[in-house]
């Protein structure tokens, strides 16, 4: 019997409470239970985390790097979205 | 190093590709930008990296065998726990690296199959036997020491996923080298027999470890493009020299003699070593080292004997998915 390739999962770990889960890498597993166990063995051998998320890689929709201009350039010209765009006299103090 | 079988020149098919894209790609590399999986890249860059990262992964996995040989015979519980953790790390390193290689578009199954079929290589060093407990100390001290020397610059490799995997690997590798040196130190402070065992291991491993850095710069065929693409930051000979300079004082501290009587220090403090026997290196790469057949047989056996586990896990996942679909339909 030809076994299909084992599905790929993306692994996210919260290193300590108060911090967001962060992408740490990927792994192969047949189902969610095995994916979680493998994530623990592969990515938390030295106390790197308190919580793990595993997400099927196929569930992720990514933006196309070739379109990064169209996606992100509009924000680059909008410098008025940053606080330093506005002038506040020094006498007024920190704002 | 772990990818030293990259000895054939890459065919240059960039003529077929968009020259403008290739120029933009090189400009990004020159600007120290990282390349990410979905970015455009020259086919030869993808091919070189797939080979390099997968060879590195195979090396980590095959590298578990010489050390695994001593887990049941470690001299104390402390040593046994450390060796188990180290071998488990090597497995983890293999898995990070397979994942990084896969981002270039070849599945892990295909990469592993290529290795099992003998089409993909792994580092020559793992084709040497671990005859005594001192070999475990020497592997940690020298083999992992050489690996660290090679892998630290790879943390700045132009390909993002490879560089990130290397950062994790380097963090963990440091424990490997220190535990190896501690084993050597304990043996060298022990009985005469123990010290002799340490010296014997050093005698056998020294030259194969120097070969890990790959052929001398004058004959290395793949370095030019790899350097241009910032996959490789230092040449084989540069890294080898760094390693020798770092290792000589460590051996002196242990009271061991490096099996190279002609060694001298030059005006800048670099240790000059004798000519390396590249015939031996070529023989080992060609499959004629002391343990090549054993290593391949062990990998194939393990893969074959694990087949039922992969099949069962896949069947179970399929059954559960089917049940869920059926329940959703009710």
């Amino acid at each position: 019997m030809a076994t299909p390739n084992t599905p790929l999962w993306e692994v996210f770990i919260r290193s300590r409470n108060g911090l967001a889960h962060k992408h740490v890498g990927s792994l192969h597993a047949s189902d969610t239970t095995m994916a979680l166990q493998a994530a623990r063995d592969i990515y938390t051998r030295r106390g790197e985390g308190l919580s793990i998320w595993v997400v099927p890689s196929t569930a992720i929709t990514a933006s196309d790097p070739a379109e990064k201009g169209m996606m992100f350039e509009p924000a680059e010209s909008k410098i008025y979205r940053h606080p330093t765009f506005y002038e506040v006299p020094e006498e007024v103090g920190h704002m | 190093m772990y990818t030293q079988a990259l000895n054939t020149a890459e065919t240059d098919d960039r003529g077929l590709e968009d020259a403008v894209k290739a120029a933009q790609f090189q400009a990004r590399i020159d600007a120290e930008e990282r390349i990410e999986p979905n970015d455009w890249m020259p086919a030869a860059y993808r091919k070189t990296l797939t080979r390099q990262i997968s060879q590195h992964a195979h090396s980590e996995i095959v590298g578990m065998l010489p050390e695994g040989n001593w887990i049941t015979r470690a001299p104390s519980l402390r040593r046994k726990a450390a060796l188990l953790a180290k071998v488990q790390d090597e497995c983890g390193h293999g898995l990070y690296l397979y994942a990084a290689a896969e981002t270039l578009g070849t599945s892990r199954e295909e990469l592993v199959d290529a290795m099992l079929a003998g089409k993909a290589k792994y580092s020559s060093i793992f084709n040497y036997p671990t005859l005594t407990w001192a070999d475990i100390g020497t592997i940690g001290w020298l083999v992992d020491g050489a690996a660290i020397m090679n892998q630290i610059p790879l943390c700045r490799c132009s390909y993002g996923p490879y560089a990130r995997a290397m950062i994790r690997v380097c963090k963990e590798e440091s424990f490997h080298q220190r535990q190896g040196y501690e084993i050597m130190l304990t043996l060298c402070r022990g009985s005469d027999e123990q010290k002799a065992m340490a010296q014997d291991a050093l005698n056998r491993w020294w030259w194969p470890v120097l070969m890990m850095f790959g052929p001398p710069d004058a004959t290395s065929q793949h370095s030019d493009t790899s350097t241009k693409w910032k996959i490789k930051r230092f040449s084989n000979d540069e890294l080898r020299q760094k390693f020798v300079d770092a290792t000589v004082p460590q051996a002196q501290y242990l009271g061991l003699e490096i099996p190279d009587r002609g060694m001298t220090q030059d005006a800048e403090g670099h240790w000059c070593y004798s000519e390396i026997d590249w015939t031996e290196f070529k023989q080992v790469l060609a499959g004629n080292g002391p343990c090549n057949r054993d290593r391949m047989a062990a990998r194939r056996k393990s893969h074959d004997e694990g087949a039922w586990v992969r099949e069962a896990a896949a069947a179970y996942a399929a059954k559960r998915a089917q049940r869920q679909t059926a329940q959703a339909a009710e």
Side-chain angles (χ1 to χ4, degrees):
Chain A
M1 182 186 98
T3 322
N5 286 358
T6 313
L8 189 66
W9 303 73
E10 299 303 322
V11 182
F12 299 81
I13 288 177
R14 185 204 293 286
S15 55
R16 56 189 170 86
N17 279 352
L19 295 181
H21 285 76
K22 197 178 159 210
H23 183 242
V24 293
S26 43
L27 55 81
H28 288 276
S30 297
D31 58 34
T32 48
T33 312
M34 292 181 85
L36 267 181
Q37 281 174 1
R40 192 214 44 184
D41 290 345
I42 300 172
Y43 292 104
T44 65
R45 289 196 302 285
R46 289 176 175 80
E48 289 93 335
L50 300 172
S51 164
I52 302 175
W53 289 348
V54 287
V55 180
S57 303
T58 49
I60 291 179
T61 308
S63 65
D64 182 353
E67 288 173 6
K68 87 173 173 238
M70 199 169 70
M71 290 282 278
F72 306 111
E73 237 158 45
E76 275 172 27
S77 57
K78 295 177 180 56
I79 50 171
Y80 47 83
R81 285 181 173 168
H82 297 280
T84 48
F85 181 75
Y86 302 94
E87 268 181 44
V88 174
E90 227 166 83
E91 304 90 279
V92 178
H94 180 71
M95 187 179 278
Chain B
M1 180 56 66
Y2 284 180
T3 53
Q4 70 214 155
L6 295 164
N7 285 333
T8 48
E10 223 27 276
T11 48
D12 193 346
D13 50 3
R14 272 168 297 154
L16 304 171
E17 290 162 352
D18 189 343
V20 178
K21 278 186 175 167
Q24 283 168 345
F25 175 81
Q26 190 59 48
R28 291 186 62 193
I29 301 264
D30 294 342
E32 293 288 333
E33 265 185 59
R34 292 287 183 272
I35 307 303
E36 293 295 339
N38 294 328
D39 292 348
W40 186 90
M41 61 187 84
Y45 179 84
R46 186 184 299 277
K47 199 172 153 197
T48 298
L49 272 173
T50 303
R51 284 209 300 175
Q52 172 158 346
I53 303 172
S54 62
Q55 280 181 20
H56 197 157
H58 303 327
S59 298
E60 298 284 356
I61 299 298
V62 177
M64 295 164 76
L65 298 170
E67 292 183 295
N69 182 32
W70 279 91
I71 290 175
T72 56
R73 293 177 288 166
S76 69
L77 191 55
R78 182 178 188 271
R79 296 286 187 222
K80 187 173 184 166
L83 186 56
L84 262 173
K86 181 177 188 295
V87 172
Q88 196 187 11
D89 273 355
E90 308 298 3
C91 178
H93 297 174
L95 296 177
Y96 309 153
L97 286 160
Y98 280 126
E102 281 192 299
T103 63
L104 292 158
T106 312
S107 72
R108 186 173 79 187
E109 282 83 353
E110 288 173 82
L111 298 170
V112 170
D113 285 348
M115 199 267 281
L116 296 175
K119 283 185 268 179
K121 302 285 185 194
Y122 56 88
S123 178
S124 60
I125 196 73
F126 302 119
N127 290 314
Y128 289 87
T130 42
L131 304 178
T132 70
W133 173 249
D135 290 40
I136 298 305
T138 311
I139 287 181
W141 172 35
L142 297 181
V143 175
D144 291 298
I148 292 171
M149 217 44 112
N150 179 59
Q151 287 166 350
I152 284 174
L154 286 173
C155 296
R156 294 186 294 126
C157 159
S158 62
Y159 189 57
Y162 193 24
R164 290 192 287 275
M166 279 299 107
I167 291 170
R168 279 191 75 87
V169 168
C170 283
K171 272 189 199 162
E172 299 178 352
E173 207 83 56
S174 167
F175 132 61
H176 298 179
Q177 192 185 16
R178 290 172 63 113
Q179 68 89 37
Y181 195 74
E182 195 192 90
I183 291 173
M184 295 306 274
L185 198 57
T186 307
L187 290 173
C188 290
R189 286 173 177 168
S191 65
D192 288 348
E193 287 93 332
Q194 286 171 325
K195 186 158 186 187
M197 189 164 85
Q199 181 64 56
D200 168 64
L202 175 60
N203 292 348
R204 284 181 289 109
W205 287 92
W206 176 252
W207 293 106
V209 165
L210 292 194
M211 292 173 201
M212 284 175 73
F213 293 92
D217 294 352
T219 61
S220 184
Q221 292 170 34
H222 59 91
S223 281
D224 291 349
T225 28
S226 286
T227 306
K228 192 184 77 179
W229 283 332
K230 300 201 173 162
I231 295 170
K232 206 177 165 87
R233 301 253 176 190
F234 295 98
S235 76
N236 294 351
D237 285 337
E238 282 169 337
L239 288 170
R240 189 165 16 240
Q241 187 61 55
K242 268 189 173 188
F243 173 77
V244 171
D245 290 344
T247 306
V248 170
Q250 294 165 358
Q252 286 170 341
Y253 186 84
L254 292 171
L256 295 179
E257 198 178 331
I258 288 178
D260 182 359
R261 300 217 173 234
M263 261 188 150
T264 50
Q265 227 172 349
D266 70 12
E268 286 155 19
H270 295 304
W271 286 94
C272 309
Y273 47 90
S274 308
E275 185 69 29
I276 294 169
D277 178 8
W278 293 111
T279 326
E280 176 181 330
F281 175 72
K282 279 179 201 143
Q283 280 298 316
V284 176
L285 268 194
N288 303 320
C291 298
N292 294 58
R293 269 167 285 252
D294 265 11
R295 302 295 184 233
M296 288 302 290
R299 285 307 310 140
R300 287 184 186 131
K301 179 167 178 274
S302 158
H303 188 77
D304 293 346
E305 288 180 353
W308 72 271
V309 179
R310 294 189 294 277
E311 284 163 17
Y316 181 68
K319 187 182 80 180
R320 295 246 309 200
Q322 216 169 26
R323 194 177 291 163
Q324 270 182 344
T325 321
Q327 273 171 355
E330 274 170 16

